[in-house]
Structure formats: structure tokens, C-alpha cells
Amino acid sequence: MACVVRYSFLLISICLRSTSWADTMVQVTPLIGTVGNEIIIQCATDKTPQDGVYMYKQEGASKNKQEVFYYYKDNTFTPKSTMYKAKVHVDGKIPNLKATFSNVNATDIGLYWCEFNLEDNITVSTVTWLWIEGKKENETKEKEDDKNCPEDPHVNILILIVCAVMSLLCIIGFVLVILKVKRCWGNKKYKPSNQPSDSVYEEMKRSNSDGLQSVRTFINPDYQSTKLLR
């Protein structure tokens, strides 16, 4: 959400501040830098020849422009304040220059543009809207943590060895469990059926003897004697 608000603010600011160049169809380019870093602002035109070039800066809602430097075609660099003398250097040749700003901070925020001059003719370059961000607290904290806790290669090797040993132990345990289950299943499959106990045999014998006695009791003794006399 903060990024959306910031970029919206930038676009609105660019639209409001670029009205003075509307007639010349000057292009406005946003540029975002970080505190303490370097940024490069293009200072170029396709119109040649040129005698020299001024770089200007406009801050906030102020309509007054501030001279940053003047660069002549013989490569003479003239900063317009002591601050820019140590902060800015120019590379290249007219009409294609690159102005490098070192160690930027919040005071560098603003609109930058170049005006090339050929005698009394002025050519305005691309306008750059420069925005400087502060360093994020998380990034700073991560860098501090990296400094306080340097990476030790021996620790990484030890972790790999421990992981390998644990993996091997897990594989061995898994194989042993499979073998044990297989052995138990085999014993259960080939186990002989239960044999009848001695009490069952005794019960069967008793039943047979009782049957024989009952058959004998049904035979009539008188019938047998009569049969024998005949």
C-alpha cells in the first residue's frame, strides 16, 4: 500500500511540475535511489552541435531552479556549489553525458534536467524525477545478523552427516519390521490345526460303552431261552 501511495505521489508531482515544459514535449522519467548509494542521471540530447550544458535542480513545490553544474564542450566541469563539487562527476562527451551522484540522501530528492546551449539556442533534455529511499530496517538487521553469525562450513558438513546417519537408521528399522511381520505371517499360515484333547477321547469311549449296554438291555432273556429250546 505504501508503494502505491508513493508512486501515485510521484506521478502527480511529475504532472504538476512538468507543465512548464509541456510546450516543448519534454519527457519526464522517474528514478528511485537508496540512501548511501550512487545514482546516474542521463544528460543527453540528439541535437548537435552544442557548446555546453547546464544541469538544474528543482525541489518540492519551489519554482526556483538551482544550478548543479556547467559542462563545456572542451570537457571543463564547473560545479555551482561546494556540495556538488565532491558529490557529482560527469562521464562522456557532449551531447551524451552521464552525471553520477555519490552517497545520495533525502536532500537530493527533486527534479533534474539539462539545458544544452548553442549560442542563444536552448535545448532541454529529459527531465528526471529523483526519489531517495531510506534503507529498510529488515535488510539492515539481516546484514547485522550475517556479520554476527558467520557461516561455518564444518557445521554444514556435520549436519549432512547426521542427516545421512538418521536416514540409514530409519531404512534399517523399516527393513527389520518388514522381515518380522513376514516371519510371523509365515508361522501363522503353516501352523497345524489343534488336536483333540484326552478329555474328548474319554468322552467318546464312554458314549460307545453306554451304547453297547443299552443294546444289551433291550434283548429279552425269555426270548433267548425259548429260541434255544427250539
Side-chain angles (χ1 to χ4, degrees):
M1 186 65 184
C3 294
V4 175
V5 174
R6 185 186 65 207
Y7 287 120
S8 299
F9 173 76
L10 289 177
L11 292 174
I12 294 171
S13 300
I14 290 171
C15 292
L16 293 176
R17 290 171 175 78
S18 61
T19 53
S20 60
W21 297 291
D23 295 337
T24 58
M25 300 298 290
V26 173
Q27 181 182 359
V28 180
T29 303
L31 178 62
I32 300 175
T34 306
V35 171
N37 292 348
E38 288 186 352
I39 57 97
I40 297 176
I41 297 178
Q42 299 291 333
C43 186
T45 181
D46 56 357
K47 295 182 179 181
T48 56
Q50 299 291 343
D51 292 335
V53 57
Y54 281 96
M55 174 173 273
Y56 293 98
K57 175 187 176 184
Q58 182 178 338
E59 298 182 29
S62 174
K63 294 184 178 180
N64 297 324
K65 59 183 183 181
Q66 177 184 359
E67 291 184 354
V68 179
F69 64 80
Y70 179 74
Y71 192 84
Y72 192 59
K73 61 183 178 180
D74 64 355
N75 300 330
T76 301
F77 174 72
T78 306
K80 293 302 180 177
S81 71
T82 55
M83 179 183 69
Y84 294 119
K85 183 176 182 180
K87 192 181 189 70
V88 183
H89 69 271
V90 178
D91 298 316
K93 293 184 178 181
I94 293 177
N96 296 307
L97 301 175
K98 293 181 179 180
T100 302
F101 289 71
S102 60
N103 194 24
V104 294
N105 52 55
T107 60
D108 296 316
I109 295 175
L111 287 168
Y112 291 82
W113 72 95
C114 292
E115 293 183 4
F116 291 86
N117 67 294
L118 179 61
E119 296 180 352
D120 294 333
N121 297 324
I122 303 298
T123 302
V124 180
S125 71
T126 299
V127 177
T128 300
W129 169 246
L130 177 62
W131 178 268
I132 305 299
E133 291 183 332
K135 291 184 178 179
K136 295 181 179 180
E137 295 181 0
N138 292 336
E139 294 178 355
T140 305
K141 186 176 180 179
E142 288 178 359
K143 291 181 179 179
E144 291 178 355
D145 292 340
D146 291 340
K147 291 180 180 179
N148 295 332
C149 301
E151 188 173 341
D152 189 354
H154 298 290
V155 175
N156 295 333
I157 294 174
L158 182 60
I159 292 174
L160 290 175
I161 293 174
V162 171
C163 291
V165 172
M166 293 298 294
S167 300
L168 183 61
L169 292 175
C170 291
I171 293 172
I172 293 173
F174 184 69
V175 171
L176 292 176
V177 170
I178 292 176
L179 293 176
K180 186 175 181 180
V181 171
K182 187 175 181 182
R183 187 180 299 109
C184 292
W185 180 258
N187 293 337
K188 183 177 180 181
K189 185 176 181 181
Y190 296 105
K191 185 176 181 180
S193 59
N194 294 330
Q195 298 295 329
S197 61
D198 295 338
S199 60
V200 175
Y201 285 114
E202 293 176 358
E203 185 68 26
M204 291 175 65
K205 290 178 181 179
R206 189 179 302 110
S207 299
N208 292 334
S209 62
D210 293 342
L212 292 174
Q213 290 178 1
S214 61
V215 172
R216 291 173 183 175
T217 56
F218 287 130
I219 298 173
N220 191 345
D222 295 334
Y223 175 77
Q224 288 180 351
S225 62
T226 304
K227 190 174 181 181
L228 290 173
L229 290 175
R230 289 179 182 178

